[in-house]
Amino acid sequence: KRRVGILISGRGSNMAALVEASRGDDCPYEVALVASDRPQAPGLIWAADAGIATFAQSPKGMAKAEYEAKIDAALRDAGVEVIALAGYMRLLSDDFVARWRGRIINIHPSLLPRYKGLDTHQRALAAGDAVAGCSVHIVTEELDGGDVLGQAEVAILPDDTPESLAGRVLIEEHRLYPKILAEFVKR
Ligand code: GAR
């Protein structure tokens, strides 16, 4: 099985979906490490309870290069081959992306190329869109800009708020991400 490292910053529901899928017999990946820039991230507790190795490194008080070197070392020590970002809310440096070129993927809560960055659901509602959704894409130096590997769509309902829409999109994220990661590690 290919060894995947997952980076999170918070809740970690997509990380949990990836871990749960990894336990299926035919799954081509296993989760070797869950790492976070926030030592208090709730997802770290979930991962540790699930028996996954965890690593936390706050970037506070250090240069970005130093912080990323620590994350990089933890990933390599764990034998990680592919990195899956799952609600990791920090921009990776060009150097880090270059070191893992073509081996980092991310899930983003919009139908890319629409709504890169933050507040995706609010922006989709404000634009009067009929559909929203999520995308899994390869991470490059351009924020939310790499090749899209897969998407799932959700209808926008008349009474939707950013929160209600986020909830329905999140259900699709949990289905989409394990499927695309499995395809990605096999290619
Ligand atoms: C997810 O909706 C993910 O798509 C989004 O943050 C949420 C994390 O939830 N990611 C981004 O906005 C990346 N810029 P989770 O921690 O429960 O997986």
Side-chain angles (χ1 to χ4, degrees), residues 8-16 43 85-90 106-110 117-121 134-135 137 143-144 166 169-170 173-174 177:
I8 64 169
S9 293
R11 177 175 61 185
S13 71
N14 277 291
M15 173 275 296
L85 307 184
Y88 181 72
M89 302 310 281
R90 193 168 292 281
N106 179 45
I107 186 150
H108 182 75
S110 78
L118 299 176
D119 301 323
T120 55
H121 303 304
C134 51
S135 306
H137 65 93
L143 175 68
D144 301 326
V169 170
L170 190 65
E173 294 184 42
H174 297 163
Y177 209 179

Side-chain angles (χ1 to χ4, degrees), residues 94-112:
D94 291 359
D95 276 357
F96 188 95
V97 171
R99 277 200 300 278
W100 291 87
R101 171 88 49 218
R103 295 191 294 145
I104 312 175
I105 67 174
N106 179 45
I107 186 150
H108 182 75
S110 78
L111 295 171
L112 292 172

Side-chain angles (χ1 to χ4, degrees), residues 37-58:
D37 60 322
R38 288 188 42 224
Q40 310 304 327
L44 283 176
I45 296 167
W46 187 95
D49 285 348
I52 312 282
T54 63
F55 177 80
Q57 177 61 60
S58 166

Side-chain angles (χ1 to χ4, degrees), residues 29-159:
Y29 69 85
E30 61 188 316
V31 179
L33 185 72
V34 172
S36 180
D37 60 322
R38 288 188 42 224
Q40 310 304 327
L44 283 176
I45 296 167
W46 187 95
D49 285 348
I52 312 282
T54 63
F55 177 80
Q57 177 61 60
S58 166
K60 286 198 186 109
M62 63 176 74
K64 184 158 195 160
E66 188 187 351
Y67 159 74
E68 286 188 340
K70 288 181 189 291
I71 296 275
D72 187 80
L75 292 164
R76 289 180 197 278
D77 287 351
V80 166
E81 300 161 279
V82 168
I83 300 174
L85 307 184
Y88 181 72
M89 302 310 281
R90 193 168 292 281
L91 204 57
L92 294 168
S93 71
D94 291 359
D95 276 357
F96 188 95
V97 171
R99 277 200 300 278
W100 291 87
R101 171 88 49 218
R103 295 191 294 145
I104 312 175
I105 67 174
N106 179 45
I107 186 150
H108 182 75
S110 78
L111 295 171
L112 292 172
R114 300 205 83 179
Y115 313 128
K116 298 173 181 178
L118 299 176
D119 301 323
T120 55
H121 303 304
Q122 192 189 311
R123 288 154 67 200
L125 290 174
D129 292 355
V131 289
C134 51
S135 306
V136 176
H137 65 93
I138 297 190
V139 172
T140 64
E141 286 83 352
E142 189 201 339
L143 175 68
D144 301 326
D147 283 355
V148 171
L149 300 169
Q151 293 182 315
E153 289 190 4
V154 163
I156 293 182
L157 306 178
D159 293 337

